[in-house]
Amino acid sequence: MSRWYIIHAYSGFENKVKEAVAAEAERLGLQPLVEAIEVPTEQAVEVRRGKKVAVERKCFPGYVLAKLNMNEDVYHLVKNTPKVTGFLGFSGKPQPISDAEAEHILNRKAKAEVAGKKAQIKVDFEIGDQVKVLEGPFASFNGVVEDLDFDRARVKVSVSIFGRATPVELEFEQVERAE
């Protein structure tokens, strides 16, 4: 009977581990015992140099989900894969997770879309940072970030106009961190 297991991998090598386990299973003729290997990801939006960029981010860096029909051969196949440090479980013994937990992890992206959540936006500045305005009537002005509104994707910047600090509300992509 196949169960879901969580494999510990080096962070940043999750996709390589996925490919290596699948290739080794095929080479050894163990594909029927390795049903699925997944790296849970989600869509996010980052602001880089004033531009919104869609990125796919790993939900759980360093972890890979695998639906395995566990036996000694499958255990050694996964354990001996490069960049794998082991399984989630007690004292090196693989501990399966429930199908409901696996479903929750794998459908995280779909649930976020169904719930109507916006993709998380990541910006390279925070409150108190110096930023440069890129466009609009205050283009080329420098200011200090006073507030971030992720729901509306807007930032409040205090800009010096005629020697007075004036709060200006702009979109995330209209500003970038000052160098």
Side-chain angles (χ1 to χ4, degrees):
M1 180 177 138
S2 294
R3 303 284 307 267
W4 285 100
Y5 294 88
I6 297 177
I7 301 169
H8 288 275
Y10 290 1
S11 188
F13 289 92
E14 297 88 351
N15 289 322
K16 292 218 183 278
V17 166
K18 174 184 173 178
E19 293 166 7
V21 169
E24 191 65 10
E26 187 175 332
R27 189 181 74 77
L28 296 173
L30 297 174
Q31 308 100 305
L33 303 176
V34 179
E35 283 188 34
I37 306 166
E38 299 292 333
V39 178
T41 58
E42 63 187 356
Q43 292 295 323
V45 176
E46 292 182 0
V47 177
R48 293 185 189 154
R49 297 195 177 268
K51 303 273 190 260
K52 285 185 182 179
V53 179
V55 295
E56 191 171 67
R57 190 181 320 165
K58 292 176 181 73
C59 299
F60 304 103
Y63 294 99
V64 178
L65 263 68
K67 190 166 189 176
L68 308 170
N69 193 343
M70 187 61 75
N71 66 18
E72 203 68 28
D73 293 333
V74 173
Y75 173 80
H76 289 295
L77 161 79
V78 173
K79 189 80 170 121
N80 294 331
T81 300
K83 310 292 186 219
V84 170
T85 58
F87 283 94
L88 182 72
F90 301 106
S91 63
K93 230 179 152 185
Q95 191 72 29
I97 61 172
S98 70
D99 287 341
E101 284 177 298
E103 198 68 30
H104 176 73
I105 292 169
L106 294 172
N107 290 332
R108 194 174 152 150
K109 179 170 59 174
K111 286 181 182 174
E113 290 171 3
V114 169
K117 291 183 181 175
K118 290 183 178 177
Q120 292 181 342
I121 298 174
K122 183 180 174 190
V123 292
D124 61 347
F125 47 83
E126 53 189 45
I127 295 174
D129 284 353
Q130 286 281 337
V131 293
K132 180 179 179 181
V133 180
L134 299 173
E135 57 186 53
F138 301 101
S140 78
F141 277 74
N142 285 346
V144 178
V145 176
E146 288 185 345
D147 189 33
L148 297 169
D149 185 352
F150 288 96
D151 292 334
R152 295 176 41 224
R154 298 186 70 77
V155 58
K156 189 181 287 185
V157 178
S158 177
V159 178
S160 179
I161 301 173
F162 303 120
R164 291 192 155 186
T166 306
V168 178
E169 193 169 296
L170 303 162
E171 294 182 10
F172 283 157
E173 59 267 10
Q174 287 181 298
V175 297
E176 74 176 1
R177 181 182 214 126
E179 303 288 319

